[in-house]
Amino acid sequence: HVQLVESGGGSVQTGGSLRLSCAASGDIASIGCMGWFRQAPGKAREGVAAIDAYSRRWYGDSVKGRFTIFVDTGKTNLTLRMSGLDPDDSAMYYCAARKYCGGETSSVLVSSRYDYWGQGTQVTVSS
């Protein structure tokens, strides 16, 4: 089993930046794909970014060029660097993990394919 704990959320103004972190523990060797998802009230959970053991990265269309995902070598700390934030980015952000990412963006950023989830950290962007 894998435990994931997010941190780093908060409130910023439009155009601001935040960095989210996710601490992973437990059976780290069983995971090769980690990602970030977000969910705003009344909306479906949306894939934001993912990274695999080979440092291949995938991004949702709405965050490309603004968000960057990276993970340390030991896969114990996943980070999402966010810049150019907009009120539409306001949501609960979740860290997730699974064994393999696969290769297609259409499947990599599908939340149902992930086995482990954190509790989430709130990001609020005000205009």
Side-chain angles (χ1 to χ4, degrees):
H1 194 73
V2 175
Q3 294 79 43
L4 303 171
V5 179
E6 303 94 336
S7 62
S11 298
V12 296
Q13 292 187 326
T14 298
S17 300
L18 279 176
R19 188 166 72 173
L20 305 183
S21 295
C22 173
S25 60
D27 190 10
I28 302 298
S30 70
I31 59 173
C33 177
M34 300 182 76
W36 289 96
F37 292 78
R38 66 186 183 186
Q39 188 167 19
K43 295 187 177 181
R45 191 164 291 191
E46 174 190 8
V48 175
I51 186 169
D52 72 1
Y54 302 99
S55 294
R56 293 184 298 176
R57 294 171 171 86
W58 294 264
Y59 294 96
D61 289 340
S62 62
V63 306
K64 284 179 182 176
R66 301 187 299 122
F67 291 12
T68 303
I69 187 172
F70 51 96
V71 65
D72 67 340
T73 304
K75 296 180 291 183
T76 58
N77 196 2
L78 178 72
T79 300
L80 183 69
R81 183 182 295 156
M82 306 184 293
S83 62
L85 287 165
D86 180 88
D88 288 341
D89 295 314
S90 297
M92 185 70 79
Y93 282 70
Y94 298 91
C95 173
R98 69 192 226 198
K99 189 170 184 178
Y100 299 115
C101 276
E104 299 295 327
T105 302
S106 58
S107 61
V108 172
L109 295 179
V110 173
S111 60
S112 61
R113 294 178 180 265
Y114 286 75
D115 301 309
Y116 305 106
W117 291 86
Q119 294 300 306
T121 186
Q122 180 68 40
V123 171
T124 302
V125 185
S126 57
S127 57

